[in-house]
Amino acid sequence: FGDDVFGVATGPRRARGADIAAEIEIDLEEAATGITREVPVQVAMRCAECGGDGVQPGTPVTTCGDCGGSGRIQQVTQTALGEFIRAHPCQRCRGTGRIVEHPCEACAGAGRTLEERSLDVQVPPGIHDSQRIRLSGEGHAGALGGQAGDVYVLVRIRPHERLVREGDDVYSTVDLTMTDAALGTRATIWTLEGEEEHEFEPGAQPGSVRVLRGRGMPVLQGFGRGDHRVLVNVVVPRQLTEEQRRLLGEFEATANEETYKPDEGFFEKLKSAFR
C-alpha cells in the first residue's frame, strides 16, 4: 500500500507495520462452494537475530543526548501573541530517541528482514467479485518490535461461459429448437453443480423463465441461497429446404387461433420471475 517497509519510526514508540495487498482469481463455482487458496507474499518479518530492535545482541544502546530519548526536538519562538512551539524529528537519532553504535548485522539495524511466505486464504461461500479478505497480523512487522500490519486479499471471480451472477441469483439460457419448443423435449442446463437434464413441456414459449429455487449463490455470511433462473430461447431456422418450406406451409394452412392461444398470465409470470 505504498508504505516504507523499512522506514524508521518517528519517536521511540513502536510503530505498526505496513499492510500488504494481494490478489487471487477464482471460478464462479469456487465462489459458490468456498475454497482455500495459497497466496505467496513477500513480507518484512521481525529479525530473529535481534528480536526486532535493530541492535547487535550483547552491545549497548544509549539514550540520545540531543532529544533526551523523546526522538523530537522542540523549538520555542517568542511572538507578540505568545510562545510558538515547533517540533521536528531529532536529526542525531533519526527520531528513535536512542543511539545504536552496533546495528544488528543480520538486518543492518532495520529490525526486520524480507522473507517469502505462503498464506492460506479461506474464501467464504458466496463472496462477491472485488471483495477483500483481511488477514490480521500477517502483514509487515512493525518497527522496533511494533504490531504487524494486515494482509488484504482482493478476490476476483472469472466470468463464466454459461452463467451470469446478479446478487445471489444466477442466470442462464437454454436453446430449444422451434419443434422442440412446440412438441416438448428434454434439454441440458448448466448449473453451479454441473450439467443437468430438465423436462420442457410442449408449448414452451420464447422468453419464458424456469426458476430453480435455492440453486443460486449462497448468501455471504448468512443463510440460504439465491435462485437459478433459466431463460428459454427458441431457435428459429434461418435456412430451409424447399421440402421444409412446403411442410411448414402445410402446417400454417391448418393452424388456427387455438394453435397459437397465448398462455394466460404469461407476462405476469415473466415479471414475477425477474423480481
Side-chain angles (χ1 to χ4, degrees), residues 176-185 200-206 232-235:
L176 303 182
T177 65
M178 180 179 65
T179 52
D180 283 342
L183 302 176
T185 187
F200 288 86
E201 299 295 330
Q205 297 297 307
V232 176
N233 178 42
V234 177
V235 182

Side-chain angles (χ1 to χ4, degrees), residues 3-44:
D3 296 319
D4 184 1
V5 173
F6 293 113
V8 178
T10 301
R13 59 185 171 81
R14 296 182 177 181
R16 180 182 181 275
D19 296 329
I20 299 175
E23 182 175 325
I24 60 174
E25 192 175 46
I26 62 175
D27 295 324
L28 184 62
E29 291 89 346
E30 294 172 332
T33 60
I35 190 174
T36 300
R37 275 292 179 84
E38 192 176 85
V39 178
V41 294
Q42 192 175 49
V43 59

Side-chain angles (χ1 to χ4, degrees), residues 29-77:
E29 291 89 346
E30 294 172 332
T33 60
I35 190 174
T36 300
R37 275 292 179 84
E38 192 176 85
V39 178
V41 294
Q42 192 175 49
V43 59
M45 302 292 295
R46 182 179 300 178
C47 178
E49 183 72 18
C50 65
D53 63 5
V55 182
Q56 183 67 22
T59 61
V61 177
T62 59
T63 302
C64 178
D66 289 2
C67 64
S70 67
R72 302 183 70 81
I73 300 294
Q74 290 186 348
Q75 293 179 340
V76 181
T77 304

Side-chain angles (χ1 to χ4, degrees), residues 250-271:
E250 291 181 0
F251 165 76
E252 186 62 25
T254 60
N256 52 36
E257 292 183 358
E258 287 296 320
T259 306
Y260 294 102
K261 184 178 180 181
D263 183 13
E264 295 183 3
F266 168 72
F267 288 105
E268 289 299 322
K269 293 179 182 177
L270 183 61
K271 289 190 293 183

Side-chain angles (χ1 to χ4, degrees), residues 76-85:
V76 181
T77 304
Q78 296 292 337
T79 67
L81 299 177
E83 292 184 345
F84 179 75
I85 301 176

Side-chain angles (χ1 to χ4, degrees), residues 166-239:
E166 289 290 341
D168 293 326
D169 290 338
V170 172
Y171 294 80
S172 66
T173 61
V174 59
D175 292 334
L176 303 182
T177 65
M178 180 179 65
T179 52
D180 283 342
L183 302 176
T185 187
R186 291 184 64 83
T188 300
I189 295 175
W190 190 275
T191 70
L192 288 171
E193 290 77 25
E195 292 182 334
E196 296 179 1
E197 280 199 351
H198 285 257
E199 189 80 26
F200 288 86
E201 299 295 330
Q205 297 297 307
S208 61
V209 178
R210 171 166 295 187
V211 182
L212 308 180
R213 299 293 182 189
R215 299 290 302 277
M217 296 294 293
V219 178
L220 181 63
Q221 296 180 344
F223 300 95
R225 295 178 61 169
D227 299 327
H228 182 169
R229 303 174 187 273
V230 183
L231 178 68
V232 176
N233 178 42
V234 177
V235 182
V236 179
R238 295 179 179 271
Q239 296 181 351

Side-chain angles (χ1 to χ4, degrees), residues 102-124:
H102 303 280
C104 175
E105 296 177 359
C107 63
R112 293 169 289 180
T113 56
L114 279 176
E115 297 181 11
E116 292 283 349
R117 295 183 59 196
S118 292
L119 301 177
D120 289 333
V121 180
Q122 294 184 350
V123 181

